Structure formats: C-alpha cells, structure tokens
Amino acid sequence: MFWERDIETMPRKELNRLQVSRLKKTLKQAGHSPAYGKIFKAHRITPEKIKTLDDLKRLPFTTKEDLRKHFPYGFVTVPKEKIVRVHSSSGTTGRATAVFHTLKDLEGWADLVARCMFMSGVRRGDVFQNMVGYGLFTGGLGFQYGAERLGALTIPSGSGNSKRQITLMGDFGTTVIHIIPSYALHLWKVFEEMGLDPKGDTQLRIALIGAEPHSDATRQRIEEMYGVEAFNSYGLSEMNGPGVAFECPEKSGMHFWEDHFIVEVIDPKTLKPLPEGEEGELVFTTLRREAMPLIRYRSKDLAAIFPEPCRCGRIHRRISRIKGRSDDMFILKGVNIFPLQIDTVLMTLAEVGTNYQVVLERENFEDKMIVQVEVRPEFFKGDLRQLERLRRQITESLKSEILVTPKVELVEPDTLPRSEGKAVRVIDRREM
Ligand code: ADP
Ligand code: ZN
C-alpha cells in the first residue's frame, strides 16, 4: 500500500517535529548562498531564532523575480564540484529559471517520484512509457529516475511522434503512461486514425497526468478514452519538478509531501496567510534540498489545502486541483475568468472534440472572447442546423459558467494549433 509506510503515516506531531528540525538545517544551508546571505542580513535573520513552524511566517518570500535577479548561481549553497545537474522551468511565463541539484538532491527527488507512482498503483513489472520532453524540462528525467527507483521497466519515449508512441506501446506492452493531458486527448485521435482503440488494443491501466491545468472532466475523458485510472500529478521545477503533490487512489485532492516541503497558502494580494480550506497562492519551503534550498517560494499557483484527513491513511495533507496561475486569470467585461472554467464546460460535452482555444480581442474599445472548439467530424457532414444547435448549446453552457457570452466558433478536428508540451489555451490579442 505504501512506498515508505513510516513516513507516509507518521503521526502529525512527529511530522511537525521533523519539519522544524529540517527547517533549521535548511535555513542554515540557505545562508551559504550569496542571495540568501544578503536577504538574511537585511532582515536580521539568524536560523537559530527559528523554533517553531510559525516562526517561518516572519521570513520574507522568495519570488521568481528573485531567482531571475540572482540568475544563474546566486541561490546555490555548495561549491560547483558538488553540483551534478541543472534543470530549468519551461519558461511558460517569461524568462526561465535555473535550479541546481547535488547527487543527494537527485536521490531525494527520485524517492519522491517513486512514492507518488507507487501510491497510484504502479509496481515492479509495470512497463512505464514516459511521454514528455526529456532535457531541461523536469517531467522527463524526473519521472525516469523515479520509475527506475520504483523498479518499473521504463521507456523514455519523450514527447511527440505520436504514431511511434503508439507502436512502442504495442511492442513493449506499456501498462502505465505519463502524459500531458492535452496531449493525451490528441493522441487518442491518432489511435483512431490508425484504426486502433487504446481500450482494447493496449494493456494500459494507469495514466499519470499533469504539468498543466486541467479539469476533472478532462481526467474523466482520458479515463474513458484509454480505459485507465488517471492520477493528477503536480510539480514545479523550482521544487524539483514532479513529485511535489500527487493523487492517491481516493482521487480527491493531491497529497503533498510534508517531509520534503512546507506548504503555505497566502492571499496573493495581501500576502497574508489564509486559513486551511481557503483558496490562495501556494508557497513552498524546501526541507531536504542541498544545492538550492528555497524559502517561502511564491509559486503563483492557486489551490486550497484540505484540512480533513484522507481515507487512504496518509497523514500528509492534500491540496485541491490547481486552478491555474494567478496570471492565467483574465478579465473580460469586468468578470474574472480562469481557463480551467472553460475546460470544465467543454470537456463535459460529448460532442466536443479534443482541442479548443480562447482568443481575446479588442474591437472599437470593446473586449471580445472567441472560443474556437473542435467538434466531432460527423457534425460537418450532415445537417448544418445541427451544427448551429450545438454552437448555441456550447455558448449557453459557457455563459452559465463564466457569466459573459463568448462568441463560439466550431471547427473541424485538427484545425487548431497544438503544442507538443503544455497547451497554450488563451491568446490575448487585446494589447497588440
Ligand atoms: P513553467 O513554470 O515555466 O511552466 P515548470 O515546468 O516548472 O515551468 O512548470 C510548473 C508549473 O506547471 C506549475 O507551477 C503549474 O503552474 C503547472 N502545473 C504543473 N503540474 C500541474 C497540474 N497537475 N495541474 C495544474 N498545473 C500544473
Ligand atoms: Zn489519500
């Protein structure tokens, strides 16, 4: 049931004690980096003063801007001879950041990923196909080392090359995949084109999906399309990458590993801590990192911490599905909208295909939202009135969720742009 029973079911009090002792060590370690050396001095912080977890709240935040300011080596605490790898964020929102690892860091990370995979049911004997980018992106090597640690046969197939992915699945009898959800939707269509059905023609049983915001409706679609159990996987390169938070078989929230990270939720505007259960920005403090510990790192990702214990028996708390980054939100006619809301509506409708895109435009000082939706090909063959009915239905469903009326355009499959990595869902042309 558990990869590391002692740690996963450790009583809360003991876990808190462990956190405090690791936090003290982390602060001491962090002080060795030029960046934190300066920050600690300016704020008169001495690690010895930290006695409880509450004391952490008096320390300043670390932001992506701080990482950029001290790029590349400013947050590194060890001599270069001890660093063995660098990873980088995908650069989804601006210049990428660099994160460095010692061998011990990489081992700790692999342990975490193995713990997550085991929790979702992956075992020795499974054939695991890792269908995301290898290289600076953390999803490739992060899962590779985690899966090897667990003992699964691992196929490092990388991203793209859909037909080959499908062939590999057949050749080696893949049972578990790691895949970006938007790509999973696309790949299903390639199966169809090849005259195959992932349900009957593969041995797949588990899909680990993450790296981008997606709704529960998308997860359910992937489960139905592939005949698998799909588990939400959350991570960010600044906190290693994958392995930060992961769903257990209860599939109600993602456990975050409190022996490796302290997680806080703050109001992104006031920066004040929010009570458990309220949604806000996730803030992370590493507890085991050697080369590049980070203190109160503001992730910009929005979620809530569930206070209730999980039925699976793990003590480590859970976060809700990530709503997106605070800067994913856009404002249209005074209404705040998250792309995830659109995902939820569209992916619930069976007529909707596997891709969509949101375009924001400004015309005569008026903002417009155009939602382009790929729909099943049969709608373009028959009665055009059927297509128009569907268009109206989608418009209504979107309106009742986001409270503004978008202009909906229905298009044929494979006509919208697609990315091999994280999907780009919103194109904002209003400032151009
Ligand atoms: P970048 O920040 O440039 O995209 P990363 O590769 O480090 O680079 O991506 C981490 C980010 O991806 C997270 O901060 C989060 O916004 C998003 N992300 C990762 N996993 C998930 C997930 N399961 N659900 C929603 N968003 C996710
Ligand atoms: Zn659980």
Side-chain angles (χ1 to χ4, degrees):
M1 255 270 275
F2 301 101
W3 177 247
E4 294 159 289
R5 175 183 289 274
D6 293 354
I7 294 173
E8 291 172 57
T9 62
M10 180 180 271
R12 169 62 47 191
K13 261 200 181 140
E14 222 175 290
L15 188 56
N16 283 355
R17 267 204 302 273
L18 184 73
Q19 286 190 314
V20 174
S21 89
R22 286 184 175 171
L23 176 62
K24 282 185 188 161
K25 255 198 193 153
T26 297
L27 290 172
K28 221 171 174 178
Q29 178 78 6
H32 296 316
S33 74
Y36 278 124
K38 251 189 238 151
I39 295 169
F40 288 0
K41 210 164 161 194
H43 287 80
R44 302 219 175 117
I45 294 162
T46 47
E48 295 75 45
K49 276 199 214 146
I50 304 296
K51 299 239 154 48
T52 69
L53 290 177
D54 264 345
D55 293 339
L56 176 65
K57 300 204 168 83
R58 286 188 280 133
L59 303 184
F61 295 107
T62 306
T63 61
K64 230 181 171 86
E65 289 65 47
D66 292 322
L67 297 188
R68 288 186 184 131
K69 194 166 123 203
H70 297 277
F71 182 86
Y73 293 115
F75 279 96
V76 172
T77 64
V78 295
K80 258 200 209 121
E81 299 80 64
K82 283 198 77 182
I83 306 174
V84 297
R85 202 192 298 163
V86 59
H87 272 290
S88 163
S89 67
S90 318
T92 311
T93 54
R95 187 166 153 203
T97 52
V99 178
F100 298 91
H101 302 271
T102 63
L103 198 57
K104 199 167 148 230
D105 288 332
L106 293 180
E107 277 164 11
W109 180 16
D111 278 334
L112 278 183
V113 175
R115 196 193 283 178
C116 292
M117 293 180 78
F118 193 88
M119 177 165 72
S120 73
V122 186
R123 296 292 180 270
R124 267 171 194 281
D126 267 311
V127 179
F128 171 62
Q129 192 164 330
N130 192 15
M131 304 165 71
V132 304
Y134 277 68
L136 287 169
F137 176 60
T138 55
L141 289 174
F143 266 96
Q144 179 72 32
Y145 281 74
E148 289 175 2
R149 169 64 52 99
L150 186 146
L153 193 173
T154 307
I155 310 171
S157 59
S159 65
N161 213 337
S162 304
K163 288 201 169 124
R164 180 144 175 267
Q165 299 278 9
I166 293 169
T167 309
L168 286 169
M169 280 185 202
D171 287 349
F172 298 119
T174 302
T175 53
V176 181
I177 51 175
H178 173 223
I179 190 164
I180 296 181
S182 55
Y183 184 65
L185 297 177
H186 167 74
L187 189 72
W188 177 78
K189 240 176 10 195
V190 183
F191 267 102
E192 213 179 30
E193 279 161 33
M194 290 169 77
L196 296 168
D197 175 4
K199 262 196 278 206
D201 299 321
T202 70
Q203 297 177 47
L204 291 178
R205 56 183 204 92
I206 293 175
L208 312 175
I209 56 174
E212 66 182 11
H214 58 284
S215 62
D216 200 57
T218 292
R219 179 246 293 281
Q220 280 173 27
R221 263 194 184 215
I222 293 171
E223 292 191 324
E224 277 157 29
M225 284 170 160
Y226 287 86
V228 294
E229 294 245 31
F231 297 90
N232 194 355
S233 156
Y234 167 73
L236 59 165
S237 56
E238 292 83 359
M239 296 295 123
N240 303 338
V244 176
F246 218 89
E247 275 177 334
C248 71
E250 299 290 328
K251 289 193 212 163
S252 57
M254 298 179 276
H255 288 281
F256 55 92
W257 302 117
E258 302 192 61
D259 56 325
H260 276 252
F261 306 102
I262 295 176
V263 182
E264 303 169 72
V265 179
I266 61 164
D267 179 323
K269 288 210 180 75
T270 65
L271 306 185
K272 292 266 179 308
L274 289 172
E276 271 188 343
E278 275 185 39
E279 186 181 83
E281 178 177 344
L282 299 175
V283 171
F284 293 93
T285 299
T286 63
L287 292 176
R288 309 255 15 218
R289 272 226 312 241
E290 204 175 40
M292 198 168 149
L294 291 177
I295 318 287
R296 303 195 86 197
Y297 178 72
R298 286 188 58 187
S299 69
K300 294 197 175 166
D301 290 331
L302 301 174
I305 292 182
F306 296 152
E308 312 82 27
C310 184
R311 285 207 300 237
C312 75
R314 288 177 183 82
I315 296 302
H316 304 244
R317 286 171 298 165
R318 289 163 298 159
I319 48 170
S320 61
R321 186 171 285 283
I322 307 284
K323 189 172 179 189
R325 304 175 207 246
S326 44
D327 33 24
D328 283 344
M329 189 192 82
F330 58 88
I331 302 175
L332 193 84
K333 300 183 174 157
V335 181
N336 298 349
I337 300 170
F338 274 93
L340 190 70
Q341 295 173 277
I342 295 162
D343 196 88
T344 305
V345 171
L346 294 180
M347 288 300 131
T348 321
L349 300 167
E351 297 86 352
V352 168
T354 53
N355 200 4
Y356 64 90
Q357 176 176 281
V358 179
V359 181
L360 304 174
E361 279 177 349
R362 183 163 293 159
E363 217 173 79
N364 303 325
F365 304 102
E366 209 199 331
D367 285 357
K368 273 198 189 144
M369 172 177 170
I370 302 147
V371 183
Q372 297 168 317
V373 186
E374 289 187 7
V375 297
R376 306 280 307 152
E378 49 271 25
F379 282 94
F380 290 90
K381 292 193 187 114
D383 188 352
L384 282 183
R385 273 172 308 184
Q386 211 188 350
L387 196 65
E388 176 54 23
R389 264 201 302 277
L390 177 60
R391 201 187 61 75
R392 265 193 246 133
Q393 187 202 343
I394 294 175
T395 311
E396 279 308 309
S397 308
L398 283 170
K399 187 185 161 199
S400 67
E401 168 66 33
I402 59 179
L403 308 176
V404 289
T405 309
K407 180 167 184 261
V408 172
E409 292 174 4
L410 303 185
V411 299
E412 289 188 68
D414 281 324
T415 44
L416 294 175
R418 218 169 41 74
S419 119
E420 261 174 18
K422 304 179 187 228
V424 181
R425 294 298 193 194
V426 180
I427 296 166
D428 196 341
R429 296 211 183 102
R430 291 179 295 183
E431 298 308 321
M432 286 180 189

